[in-house]
Amino acid sequence: MGKHVARLGAAGLAAMLLAPVVHAQQPPAADQERSSELATLKAELAAQRALVDKLMRELQAQQSKIERIEEKRDGTGPALADLALPPRADELLLSEQRGTGGQNGTVPTNVPAPANNRPPPTPVPAQPAPRTAATQAPAQPQQNTAQNTATRNERDQRPPEVAPLFEAPGVLTPRGKVIFEPSLQFGYSSSNRVALVGYTVIPALLIGLVDVREIKRNTFTGALTARTGLNNRMEVEVKLPYVYRSDATVSREIFTGTAAERVFDTSGKGIGDVEIAGRYQLNDGGPDKPYYIGGLRYKSRTGRDPFEVVTDCQTRCVGENVTGTGLPLSLPTGSGFHSLQGSLTWLFPSDPAVFFGNISYLHNFKRSNVERLVRNGIREPLGELEPGSIIGFNFGMGLALNDKASLSLGYDHNTVARLRQNGRPVPGAVRTQLGTLLLGYSYRFNEKRSLSVAVGAGVTRDTPDVSLTVRMPFTF
């Protein structure tokens, strides 16, 4: 009995001594779970650090590109052509803020641009990424967001484009882009002329002849225009027009003594005067800051000369022995003179509108030994002719209707000086005022194609009664 009790006591003592050892060799399930969570957190932290490092490298690369652009502007960095970057920010905003858009698409106009055109830092995801292959999935959206933000901030610096009303566009073509623009213009004008040849006995009685003429004129001009950007500040343009004209004159020939009216129809068609132009952006504008664009246009005399068409006169068209109507039997398609025009355009964006204007001066070069061709192949010498110079100005406002359409209102005015012959003003020649009210509409179908329509109404006697211009530029 005593031995048995002694054995039981020894066994209990051994169990008490071995219990901590067994407990140490077999950790509980809670410790195993805690160790697993710790390993998971370490893996997630490593994946997140890799993601942050990748985003920081991308951000530093973008900042480096922007700094090189700024160095190039100061003349201390490499050429922009070596950087393979998009066009300059301040020259892209003009087509991106308004409904007509530009060659690179449309972006919102209310996104503020950061200082120095630097993209804002990309946010880091707050939640840890899982340990699977999907860990890298969030990196692509973040990368695209950073690139889109940088592109948007650059484009927001471009001046806004408006529906075109005048000959010269307001937005310069980006470097490397080519715009091919077919256009069609129609103009109609009518005028009445009354000439009294005789003498008056009393104010109500005229002894002599009355020459009454009513002229209806229609002009169609189809043109192919191509322009390209030499750099992000300068573009060149070539315009090739084709002209069709028709005139109908209802008159009674003077000195004939008859009251019968006759209709004199004449027309002409052919290549017009080819034009070459260049435009250069003078400054860096921005929101509530004007943009200034200088332009220079040269007009040749490739069209049919007014002095090459036959005039309806038997011998001479001036003096007392006038026979015939004195009107051309066919109409010219060109002006007959070389011209050079300088202009300055300004655009002032004030969201949601854009105000614009232009001043210009056109000089017509004089010609010597000019002769007019009459019937029977006779040439009548005219001597030296110098057309009057033209001073012009226009202004208007463009308004975006939505992200694709825009509307423009404007006024165009030109003052034409007197024609001079042999250094003296031609008798009867006066300074002419041409004023036109313009309404334009533009719709952008996509990034590469748009449609513009402009309607003009003459407000002075010598201006065409109505003009209609349709343009459809294509960007390549």
Side-chain angles (χ1 to χ4, degrees):
M1 184 70 179
K3 293 181 179 180
H4 183 67
V5 173
R7 290 178 180 175
L8 288 176
L13 182 59
M16 293 176 62
L17 295 176
L18 292 176
V21 177
V22 175
H23 184 270
Q25 292 178 353
Q26 298 179 357
D31 293 342
Q32 294 180 355
E33 183 178 358
R34 189 176 299 105
S35 300
S36 177
E37 290 178 356
L38 182 59
T40 301
L41 291 175
K42 290 182 178 180
E44 292 174 350
L45 181 59
Q48 188 170 358
R49 286 179 177 175
L51 176 60
V52 172
D53 292 340
K54 182 179 179 181
L55 294 177
M56 290 301 297
R57 288 194 299 270
E58 294 173 355
L59 180 59
Q60 292 175 357
Q62 293 177 1
Q63 291 177 346
S64 177
K65 290 181 180 180
I66 294 174
E67 290 175 355
R68 282 185 285 174
I69 294 177
E70 294 175 351
E71 291 177 356
K72 175 57 183 176
R73 293 178 184 176
D74 297 335
T76 59
L80 284 176
D82 301 332
L83 300 180
L85 296 176
R88 285 187 50 174
D90 52 3
E91 296 169 0
L92 289 177
L93 181 63
L94 199 58
S95 69
E96 301 299 342
Q97 277 191 340
R98 292 295 164 257
T100 54
Q103 292 76 18
N104 298 322
T106 302
V107 295
T109 61
N110 56 356
V111 179
N116 299 327
N117 295 328
R118 298 180 184 273
T122 305
V124 179
Q127 298 297 329
R131 290 182 299 164
T132 61
T135 303
Q136 302 301 327
Q140 185 65 25
Q142 293 293 338
Q143 178 181 359
N144 294 338
T145 301
Q147 294 176 352
N148 293 339
T149 302
T151 304
R152 180 174 63 248
N153 291 333
E154 288 184 350
R155 291 178 179 175
D156 285 345
Q157 301 303 315
R158 187 180 182 185
E161 182 179 352
V162 295
L165 294 177
F166 314 112
E167 289 295 329
V171 181
L172 299 182
T173 306
R175 181 188 60 186
K177 295 287 186 178
V178 177
I179 297 180
F180 180 75
E181 181 183 275
S183 63
L184 178 63
Q185 184 178 45
F186 166 73
Y188 171 79
S189 62
S190 63
S191 62
N192 296 323
R193 171 190 170 187
V194 178
L196 305 179
V197 182
Y199 61 93
T200 302
V201 178
I202 60 175
L205 179 61
L206 172 71
I207 298 176
L209 300 175
V210 179
D211 180 21
V212 180
R213 293 186 180 184
E214 183 180 8
I215 302 175
K216 309 290 185 181
R217 176 167 298 171
N218 297 274
T219 304
F220 294 87
T221 304
L224 297 178
T225 304
R227 53 181 173 266
T228 183
L230 300 182
N231 52 48
N232 292 326
R233 281 186 175 269
M234 184 176 183
E235 71 173 10
V236 293
E237 175 185 283
V238 177
K239 182 178 181 180
L240 177 63
Y242 185 87
V243 181
Y244 172 78
R245 299 176 55 188
S246 65
D247 285 3
T249 304
V250 181
S251 65
R252 175 176 57 82
E253 292 186 21
I254 197 170
F255 302 128
T256 60
T258 177
E261 293 184 345
R262 61 171 294 188
V263 178
F264 185 87
D265 288 322
T266 182
S267 63
K269 60 181 178 180
I271 297 297
D273 294 336
V274 177
E275 300 179 9
I276 301 176
R279 284 176 286 272
Y280 183 79
Q281 182 173 329
L282 303 176
N283 72 320
D284 295 330
D288 297 327
K289 294 181 180 179
Y291 295 81
Y292 297 100
I293 300 174
L296 188 65
R297 179 183 295 269
Y298 165 74
K299 184 184 70 62
S300 66
R301 39 175 293 194
T302 55
R304 191 177 185 185
D305 201 305
F307 309 105
E308 296 175 354
V309 300
V310 180
T311 306
D312 185 23
C313 298
Q314 294 295 338
T315 55
R316 293 175 60 86
C317 294
V318 295
E320 298 180 355
N321 298 322
V322 177
T323 57
T325 62
L327 300 174
L329 298 180
S330 61
L331 297 178
T333 60
S335 66
F337 296 89
H338 295 281
S339 302
L340 188 64
Q341 182 187 46
S343 64
L344 177 64
T345 302
W346 60 272
L347 300 100
F348 183 79
S350 180
D351 196 40
V354 179
F355 301 95
F356 53 87
N358 174 276
I359 57 174
S360 63
Y361 176 81
L362 185 143
H363 176 75
N364 291 300
F365 296 92
K366 61 184 178 181
R367 290 180 58 182
S368 301
N369 302 321
V370 180
E371 296 179 340
R372 175 165 46 190
L373 181 63
V374 299
R375 286 182 181 270
N376 302 323
I378 300 176
R379 290 190 174 274
E380 177 185 355
L382 299 177
E384 183 184 80
L385 292 180
E386 183 179 1
S389 300
I390 302 176
I391 299 175
F393 69 90
N394 56 60
F395 58 88
M397 178 191 71
L399 183 65
L401 303 179
N402 52 44
D403 61 339
K404 290 182 176 292
S406 65
L407 183 69
S408 295
L409 301 172
Y411 175 76
D412 182 67
H413 193 94
N414 292 279
T415 300
V416 185
R418 302 174 63 182
L419 172 66
R420 291 180 174 271
Q421 183 178 12
N422 298 321
R424 293 177 296 179
V426 175
V430 296
R431 181 176 292 273
T432 305
Q433 304 292 336
L434 307 176
T436 307
L437 287 175
L438 294 162
L439 171 65
Y441 173 79
S442 180
Y443 185 84
R444 183 179 61 85
F445 296 100
N446 49 49
E447 297 178 354
K448 298 184 177 181
R449 183 166 58 97
S450 61
L451 175 66
S452 301
V453 179
V455 180
V459 296
T460 59
R461 181 182 297 273
D462 300 306
T463 310
D465 299 335
V466 64
S467 62
L468 176 65
T469 305
V470 180
R471 300 183 179 96
M472 181 172 285
F474 297 86
T475 303
F476 299 94

